[in-house]
Amino acid sequence: MEDKMKKIEGLELPKNREYMKSILMAKAAKKSAKPVFGWKIIPVFVSVLAVAAVGLYMKIDYNDSNTQRNALGGIWCTYDDHAQGGNSTVWPPASTSCENLFVKSSPGYGNTGYAIRITGNAGTKPGENYIGVDTFLSERSSCPHCNGIDIRAFHGIEFKIKGTVPAGKVMFIIPHEGKASDKKFGTCVSLTDYADYEADITKDITADWKTVRLDFKKDLRQPSWAKKENLVSIDEVLSDANLIKWQYSDGQGHPVDIWIDDLQLY
Amino acid sequence: MDRDTEKNMVENAREDPEAFGLIFEAYYQKILSYCIYRTMNVEIARDITSETFFKALKNLWQFKWAGAPFSSWLYRIASNEINMYFRHHKYEPKSMEEAIEENNMPELASKNDLEAEIMRAQERLDENGDAAKVLRALRELPEKYQEVIILRFYQEMKIEEIAATLDVKEGTIKSILSRGLKMLREKIAAQPFSGAGILHT
């Protein structure tokens, strides 16, 4: 009889295993903050987290419907440089006190559904010449709550983009923000003086939809002008992320038109 | 895995969180299959496996080397959870849910993929003819017999390893094994299915 007690093949659960491992490692990271085992090197640990999440993804917004909130419950907003004295213009209009003025455009990628679209120009004032669009990663990430989420279990972000950018730069940015809201700008307070992790995606924006896949660790960097006291590890930023944003800057008032769709963390 | 490698891995995990990931990788499939063979329910087995590793992470500082391999300690945690499941006829894993909440980790869009994977594994288990029938017959035995037979034949442990895992003398394990196999043959013989034929192999 013993030889009939054979192992049954195909009982592996690779996706469940990776998901479980990512949660387990996140728990371990929390423990390391309180050094239960004397653990103290969170960045080393987080590389395991990223590996753990292979094959998993999390939808941010596929824009299948014309809702104001993304799949995580966060809102979409545009912003401009008026609070800094700039003269940029952006559509949909920028919110000034945490209200939601955003509207989606259609069609989205594949000529279906909707997309995130912004148009406008970054103005001409030297030093203050930007516009952008952002989306929050939970219902309570936006001001005045400023409660971020932990996205260390993911390698990076993927989205579709197209548009017209005749000059200037478009950056993808993950801001590092605190829990307090900055009433002057209607945002959560920046912990880096806006020297946030970013990637230049200008060349990816063409007339046709293109997939942009950014690895948080390989593709994002803080700008060279970041002051020493504002340098922070990417893991710390990802452990409590409020929002992600796409920012266009240019000093010559060129009009831009940018479309974004099918956003997910991978 | 030899004892020194295992010892290094565990000692490292006390100091460095990355090493706990290595422990998870090294033992996940063993603990999962053990739980599947014991419960015959892939979803419950997945949950018990998860609870086992969360408890191991939480209590690693309490683990002491006493001759038995580290895996014995994991199997013991899993066995306790399985026994709890049998006693209450339900299982509610708490650690993973708590960790998700604590870390404010949003629900995955790919949750359906995780569930589909479990369903596929459950189908494979159910479709496995005689092997599955033997396991079902095994489940009708008292828990201590199930435990020893599965560790011996499905986890391919030596008698001394089973003894260390269950903290019972080797002689007792041999006796449980012998009695368990006899009871299992009787159960199978009494069942009107093709698996009865395995009695004479």
Side-chain angles (χ1 to χ4, degrees):
Chain A
M1 178 176 71
E2 288 83 342
D3 65 333
K4 296 292 182 187
M5 289 179 172
K6 58 181 182 186
K7 288 184 178 177
I8 298 173
E9 299 297 323
L11 298 182
E12 296 80 20
L13 302 173
K15 286 184 180 174
N16 278 270
R17 184 190 66 220
E18 299 308 332
Y19 182 52
M20 189 187 299
K21 185 176 173 184
S22 67
I23 310 285
L24 187 70
M25 295 293 97
K27 176 80 177 177
K30 285 272 182 191
K31 273 179 165 289
S32 69
K34 304 177 200 162
V36 172
F37 303 155
W39 293 351
K40 42 195 177 296
I41 312 168
I42 294 176
V44 171
F45 159 72
V46 169
S47 63
V48 177
L49 268 187
V51 171
V54 171
L56 295 178
Y57 62 90
M58 184 172 74
K59 175 168 77 169
I60 298 175
D61 205 339
Y62 294 165
N63 295 307
D64 294 329
S65 58
N66 189 14
T67 52
Q68 286 194 317
R69 289 187 183 274
N70 63 37
L72 305 177
I75 55 171
W76 284 93
C77 298
T78 54
Y79 57 94
D80 56 30
D81 56 16
H82 291 185
Q84 287 79 29
N87 58 1
S88 63
T89 60
V90 65
W91 179 91
S95 59
T96 53
S97 56
C98 307
E99 77 276 36
N100 190 357
L101 302 176
F102 197 82
V103 288
K104 288 182 178 176
S105 297
S106 64
Y109 173 74
N111 274 327
T112 60
Y114 296 81
I116 301 307
R117 181 191 187 195
I118 66 164
T119 61
N121 69 74
T124 51
K125 188 179 176 192
E128 304 296 348
N129 39 56
Y130 62 84
I131 57 173
V133 60
D134 54 44
T135 192
F136 292 87
L137 298 176
S138 90
E139 196 175 347
R140 295 177 65 81
S141 287
S142 47
C143 62
H145 308 295
C146 303
N147 286 327
I149 65 169
D150 187 342
I151 55 171
R152 285 177 296 169
F154 300 94
H155 282 290
I157 185 168
E158 186 179 283
F159 53 87
K160 303 276 194 284
I161 198 162
K162 73 169 184 175
T164 311
V165 182
K169 274 185 176 180
V170 178
M171 308 297 284
F172 170 80
I173 303 169
I174 304 184
H176 184 43
E177 296 183 333
K179 300 292 180 198
S181 65
D182 186 333
K183 288 179 184 164
K184 183 182 172 192
F185 300 130
T187 61
C188 303
V189 67
S190 173
L191 297 177
T192 57
D193 196 19
Y194 300 97
D196 292 308
Y197 275 88
E198 61 183 13
D200 187 343
I201 56 168
T202 315
K203 64 178 177 8
D204 294 310
I205 305 174
T206 61
D208 297 319
W209 285 106
K210 194 169 172 184
T211 301
V212 176
R213 193 172 166 91
L214 298 172
D215 184 307
F216 290 142
K217 296 200 168 153
K218 290 181 187 159
D219 299 324
L220 269 60
R221 295 281 178 275
Q222 284 188 274
S224 55
W225 50 266
K227 289 180 186 166
K228 197 176 174 186
E229 64 266 29
N230 293 325
L231 295 177
V232 60
S233 74
I234 185 69
D235 298 317
E236 195 175 335
V237 175
L238 300 176
S239 71
D240 190 17
N242 278 347
L243 74 161
I244 49 178
K245 62 187 191 182
W246 293 257
Q247 182 165 297
Y248 168 66
S249 58
D250 165 50
Q252 298 166 52
H254 291 107
V256 288
D257 185 0
I258 300 169
W259 296 65
I260 303 163
D261 199 3
D262 289 0
L263 301 94
Q264 63 182 23
L265 298 173
Y266 68 90
Chain B
M1 184 184 303
D2 67 59
R3 195 63 64 86
D4 285 343
T5 309
E6 188 178 57
K7 203 163 183 174
N8 279 340
M9 196 166 64
V10 172
E11 292 310 316
N12 286 342
R14 295 192 206 258
E15 302 291 330
D16 170 10
E18 190 167 15
F20 197 84
L22 298 177
I23 288 179
F24 179 85
E25 287 297 340
Y27 298 114
Y28 171 82
Q29 191 56 42
K30 284 185 177 177
I31 297 296
L32 175 69
S33 350
Y34 174 63
C35 295
I36 291 176
Y37 292 133
R38 289 284 316 270
T39 63
M40 290 298 284
N41 182 318
V42 178
E43 190 174 6
I44 295 288
R46 187 269 318 258
D47 290 347
I48 291 175
T49 304
S50 145
E51 199 69 13
T52 299
F53 281 100
F54 274 100
K55 287 196 169 173
L57 174 67
K58 186 179 172 189
N59 299 309
L60 189 60
W61 64 278
Q62 289 181 323
F63 172 74
K64 289 188 180 117
W65 294 99
F70 177 73
S71 55
S72 298
W73 187 62
L74 292 177
Y75 277 111
R76 217 175 302 155
I77 298 174
S79 283
N80 288 340
E81 296 300 311
I82 290 167
N83 294 340
M84 214 172 344
Y85 162 62
F86 285 146
R87 268 196 292 282
H88 300 293
H89 302 291
K90 64 177 181 180
Y91 192 75
E92 288 170 359
K94 289 181 183 157
S95 303
M96 188 144 151
E97 292 304 317
E98 278 172 10
I100 290 170
E101 274 180 33
E102 269 174 27
N103 292 288
N104 208 6
M105 294 180 86
E107 196 165 305
L108 286 168
S110 51
K111 197 176 174 184
N112 288 345
D113 292 349
L114 304 184
E115 286 167 3
E117 191 175 66
I118 286 172
M119 283 174 66
R120 281 196 299 275
Q122 185 68 51
E123 281 166 13
R124 273 186 223 113
L125 184 63
D126 294 340
E127 288 164 1
N128 239 284
D130 286 351
K133 285 170 184 169
V134 172
L135 282 164
R136 287 210 176 77
L138 187 59
R139 279 203 56 192
E140 293 177 24
L141 304 188
E143 282 168 24
K144 66 176 179 182
Y145 297 104
Q146 295 181 35
E147 203 166 40
V148 171
I149 290 173
I150 286 173
L151 289 175
R152 177 72 189 94
F153 294 102
Y154 293 89
Q155 302 301 109
E156 296 171 347
M157 277 190 189
K158 294 174 184 163
I159 299 291
E160 60 181 271
E161 289 172 328
I162 302 174
T165 298
L166 302 179
D167 201 16
V168 173
K169 288 179 181 167
E170 288 183 30
T172 311
I173 296 297
K174 285 178 187 165
S175 153
I176 292 174
L177 199 55
S178 159
R179 216 174 309 143
L181 289 173
K182 183 171 179 287
M183 289 161 74
L184 184 59
R185 284 191 185 94
E186 287 165 5
K187 284 273 176 213
I188 291 170
Q191 287 182 4
F193 62 70
S194 61
I198 65 177
L199 268 176
H200 309 294
T201 61

